[in-house]
Amino acid sequence: MDFFNLLKRVSNLKWATDDPIPKTFDDVLETSKIAMQQALIELWHTYPFTFKKVTRYQVLPAYESAIEAPMGTLTAVCLENGRVLEQVETFGDMDDSETPVYGTPECYRLVQNNTGDKIEFYPTPLEPVTIGISYDTACMARDKSGTERVNLSAQNDTININGAVQRELFENALILLTEVYLIQDSSDENYIPYFEAYQRALRLLINYGITPLEKKVVI
């Protein structure tokens, strides 16, 4: 379901704040678009959902020590043979050395600056090395061509979840949380029913992706 149809679902809710139901994307109130974007951020980061987990491989060229970091939370970095590299804060004495050290990477560190986040490796490889990067993606949406986006924006953008069941459960929770954001006032008579409905939808979403043993502790 794309951004526009998700917003229309919100408008179709009983006691919806966005009335009448918009006929075009431009008819949708900006407050409703913003509310869904805010709700998506909250819901996406509420729990370590399995659909956020990504592993990709890329080549670290010879004589280069850094690659672009993914948009998300890094969970592991490994070599092609499966060897997991240690994350460090600094490279110790090598930070002050003007002479590069070459060899198979043994560890890495994250470097954040205005030019973009980087993963720096030590030592620097003499030959191309394939690096595996595992992370929880922060790209919550994708456009109609499949390109990942940080949030819903255009009419045809969709939620960045491949599994049909998880996507449906997620969209249901998102729609309810969007209405909670739109109402805002906890003293409003409709706030509590929608908030409780969202909590139930969230539990269903979480329970779908965990083991039977783990389900015993989800209330």
Side-chain angles (χ1 to χ4, degrees):
M1 191 176 300
D2 62 24
F3 191 18
F4 180 40
N5 280 293
L6 286 168
L7 289 165
K8 286 200 293 185
R9 284 275 301 275
V10 175
S11 298
N12 272 303
L13 292 173
K14 191 175 183 180
W15 307 303
T17 58
D18 190 0
D19 190 35
I21 298 172
K23 295 182 179 180
T24 69
F25 187 67
D26 290 338
D27 291 337
V28 180
L29 296 175
E30 192 65 24
T31 52
S32 295
K33 295 177 182 177
I34 293 173
M36 181 164 285
Q37 290 167 336
Q38 292 173 328
L40 178 54
I41 292 172
E42 178 178 338
L43 178 55
W44 191 268
H45 295 285
T46 292
Y47 186 82
F49 298 111
T50 55
F51 52 74
K52 296 193 297 183
K53 299 185 181 304
V54 178
T55 297
R56 63 177 171 84
Y57 292 86
Q58 69 181 85
V59 175
L60 175 63
Y63 300 102
E64 293 190 17
S65 60
I67 57 177
E68 184 178 350
M71 294 187 66
T73 303
L74 197 62
T75 56
V77 177
C78 66
L79 300 180
E80 189 175 18
N81 61 11
R83 178 187 172 191
V84 178
L85 301 183
E86 179 186 5
Q87 182 178 357
V88 297
E89 293 295 326
T90 70
F91 293 146
D93 295 339
M94 294 302 102
D95 285 338
D96 300 321
S97 175
E98 297 180 359
T99 304
V101 175
Y102 295 103
T104 302
E106 299 174 355
C107 59
Y108 71 95
R109 66 181 177 185
L110 289 175
V111 178
Q112 299 176 310
N113 52 47
N114 291 334
T115 61
D117 297 347
K118 300 287 185 182
I119 304 175
E120 286 189 351
F121 295 89
Y122 175 84
T124 300
L126 282 169
E127 298 179 351
V129 176
T130 300
I131 302 292
I133 304 169
S134 298
Y135 62 98
D136 288 346
T137 182
C139 292
M140 303 175 288
R142 53 190 173 215
D143 64 20
K144 62 180 180 181
S145 69
T147 302
E148 291 187 336
R149 310 186 71 155
V150 174
N151 206 325
L152 295 168
S153 177
Q155 174 176 338
N156 299 121
D157 289 351
T158 55
I159 303 298
N160 190 19
I161 299 174
N162 290 322
V165 176
Q166 283 185 306
R167 186 171 60 251
E168 177 69 22
L169 292 171
F170 187 94
E171 289 174 347
N172 182 51
L174 177 63
I175 289 164
L176 293 167
L177 183 57
T178 299
E179 186 62 25
V180 172
Y181 266 83
L182 286 169
I183 296 172
Q184 291 189 342
D185 185 1
S186 59
S187 65
D188 187 291
E189 63 179 349
N190 297 319
Y191 181 91
I192 296 300
Y194 275 116
F195 182 76
E196 291 178 345
Y198 162 66
Q199 291 293 317
R200 291 192 296 272
L202 178 59
R203 286 196 294 271
L204 287 173
L205 173 62
I206 291 174
N207 271 282
Y208 180 80
I210 60 180
T211 67
L213 179 60
E214 290 172 321
K215 287 181 182 181
K216 294 179 182 178
V217 300
V218 176
I219 300 176

